[in-house]
Amino acid sequence: MDRLLNTVRPYAWGSLTALPELLGQQPTGEPQAELWMGAHPGDPSRADRGDGPRRLDDLIAADPEGELGAASVARFGPTLPFLFKVLAAGIPLSIQAHPTLDQARAGFAAENALGIPVDAPERSYRDANHKPEMVCALGEFEGLCGFRRPAEAAALLAGLAVPGLDPLIALLAVEDESEALRGALAAALALDGDTVRHTVEALAGALPESDYAPYARIAKDFPDDRGVIAGMLLNHVRLRAGEALYLGAGVPHAYLSGVCVELQANSDNVLRAGLTPKHIDLPELLKVVVFEAGAPEPMAPVGVEDTPGEELYPVPIDEFRLSRFALDGVEREIDGRTPQILLCTEGAARLTAADGTVLDLARGQSAFLPATGAPTRLSGSGTTLFRATVTV
């Protein structure tokens, strides 16, 4: 077992206080957005096995089967297939979507062929992997996710009585739902500045309990951004603590506020559609987004028959598996056949390996468990422990 030393990414949308509070640190006065746990080369965790901190991706590269297990290497290759995060949104993130595996491979190769540096701001594909993801709220959490029905989006826009939105509303009346949504998104991202400004002014008077309220709050942070209007094409979603959302490839979304754990495939590929000063590649975005309407359903965890005390958030892929334990004085046991990261979000947890080695985790701390095949015992009182691993 390795206690992980993790990096906090200070994106501008991050909360000033949430991650310092979780980690038991003093706020720096700067936004702190994402705590990364894993072996992504962009910011890998580090572990100290007696010779000083070493990057987790380097430890895995030196002995893939010893760290990940033969079954994981055979299925996913010699890298940790997931990236685990705590995400703390102080203001909205960009509206975004993620590619399929085939799209990521093709896009990464195409940008390489053009000679665009991987860290260039105009780059859309930073690796050749897809990025399905799941978020699980640690408290009240808000976001936009998936398209509204075109008629519902049209009614929302029409209620603002902004003449510049009429062409967009007309596009939403196209009979083919997919084409209606495609045309509306493209048109929203091409609107003139006057229409954006008048829309923000119309939203300024929105009542706190109205359907416009979340978009009015977004407009305060992004008053000149066409993403405010594009966001009105998407469903507004609220998660309570312990509820989760799974987002597959092509689903447009934006996280607005709150703190969550996020588990995703090991990728950093993002195609943006607004609420950001960063690069927006509209043609590529329109290739990646899946233009299907439907309200997302928050997910509650289900019990795992083979592992008493474990609550699983089922997903349709195998690169990652998210579950949690509510430890309250009863010792639990997990198997060691797969690589896993354990994160303590409440209380304190004690991990006991088969050889008797003990590792204590305080709130905000995490551990990497290599795939040794041996079980690990979990104990604590008033403790919430999240488990990220794979299915093989």
Side-chain angles (χ1 to χ4, degrees):
M1 297 182 292
D2 299 293
R3 185 188 309 280
L4 292 178
L5 304 173
N6 303 308
T7 298
V8 172
R9 288 202 158 192
Y11 301 135
W13 50 260
S15 166
L16 298 177
T17 58
L19 285 180
E21 180 184 348
L22 176 71
L23 298 170
Q25 300 171 352
Q26 288 296 316
T28 65
E30 299 296 324
Q32 298 191 32
E34 293 181 347
L35 177 73
W36 280 32
M37 297 164 285
H40 191 284
D43 260 323
S45 300
R46 288 151 289 136
D48 190 342
R49 296 181 175 175
D51 53 355
R54 294 181 59 194
R55 291 166 52 123
L56 185 56
D57 56 341
D58 289 341
L59 291 170
I60 290 170
D63 183 12
E65 289 199 1
E67 302 291 341
L68 306 176
S72 181
V73 172
R75 182 76 189 277
F76 307 114
T79 57
L80 189 68
F82 61 81
L83 176 60
F84 200 19
K85 299 178 182 178
V86 180
L87 183 153
I91 64 172
L93 284 67
S94 61
I95 301 173
Q96 58 190 257
H98 308 302
T100 65
L101 186 57
D102 287 344
Q103 288 169 338
R105 288 171 174 168
F108 186 68
E111 291 187 330
N112 282 348
L114 291 172
I116 304 173
V118 173
D119 59 353
E122 70 273 19
R123 181 106 187 191
S124 295
Y125 294 94
R126 303 193 182 280
D127 53 66
N129 201 12
H130 63 165
K131 193 189 172 190
E133 64 190 43
M134 165 171 277
V135 293
C136 179
L138 297 183
E140 190 78 12
F141 190 79
E142 275 191 281
L144 305 176
C145 182
F147 285 107
R148 295 175 180 269
R149 294 290 174 192
E152 181 185 349
L156 192 68
L157 292 167
L160 294 174
V162 175
L165 296 177
D166 290 343
L168 182 58
I169 295 167
L171 287 167
L172 287 165
V174 171
E175 186 174 349
D176 184 288
E177 186 173 86
S178 177
E179 288 306 310
L181 294 170
R182 178 186 294 273
L185 179 62
L189 296 178
L191 285 169
D192 62 85
D194 283 343
T195 298
V196 175
R197 194 159 42 253
H198 292 152
T199 301
V200 168
E201 290 171 359
L203 286 169
L207 297 174
E209 299 303 318
S210 73
D211 290 340
Y212 295 104
Y215 305 100
R217 295 197 301 272
I218 294 168
K220 290 179 182 178
D221 293 310
F222 298 93
D224 300 315
D225 197 309
R226 293 169 179 83
V228 175
I229 300 168
M232 296 179 72
L233 304 175
L234 307 182
N235 299 289
H236 177 230
V237 181
R238 283 192 178 95
L239 298 181
R240 295 172 296 180
E243 291 184 326
L245 278 178
Y246 171 76
L247 296 95
V251 177
H253 60 280
Y255 304 135
L256 303 182
S257 65
V259 182
C260 68
V261 295
E262 181 180 38
L263 186 57
Q264 61 181 69
N266 194 29
S267 172
D268 199 23
N269 285 327
V270 179
L271 281 301
R272 297 177 180 86
L275 307 185
T276 180
K278 294 183 179 179
H279 176 59
I280 295 177
D281 183 345
L282 184 56
E284 195 67 25
L285 174 75
L286 296 177
K287 281 196 258 178
V288 164
V289 169
V290 175
F291 292 96
E292 293 178 1
E297 289 290 335
M299 180 192 308
V302 296
V304 179
E305 184 177 346
D306 296 340
T307 311
E310 185 177 29
E311 298 177 304
L312 175 68
Y313 294 91
V315 294
I317 63 168
D318 295 334
E319 284 102 322
F320 61 76
R321 177 186 184 276
L322 180 67
S323 62
R324 70 175 183 182
F325 288 85
L327 301 171
D328 201 8
V330 177
E331 190 173 74
R332 302 298 186 182
E333 185 174 280
I334 56 175
D335 70 59
R337 294 174 296 171
T338 55
Q340 48 203 306
I341 293 176
L342 302 181
L343 166 69
C344 180
T345 59
E346 288 293 339
R350 170 160 289 188
L351 318 181
T352 305
D355 64 2
T357 302
V358 171
L359 179 61
D360 290 320
L361 296 181
R363 185 170 184 254
Q365 292 184 331
S366 58
F368 174 67
L369 278 60
T372 63
T376 298
R377 302 194 305 278
L378 314 176
S379 58
S381 183
T383 298
T384 301
L385 192 69
F386 281 89
R387 181 191 189 196
T389 185
V390 298
T391 300
V392 294

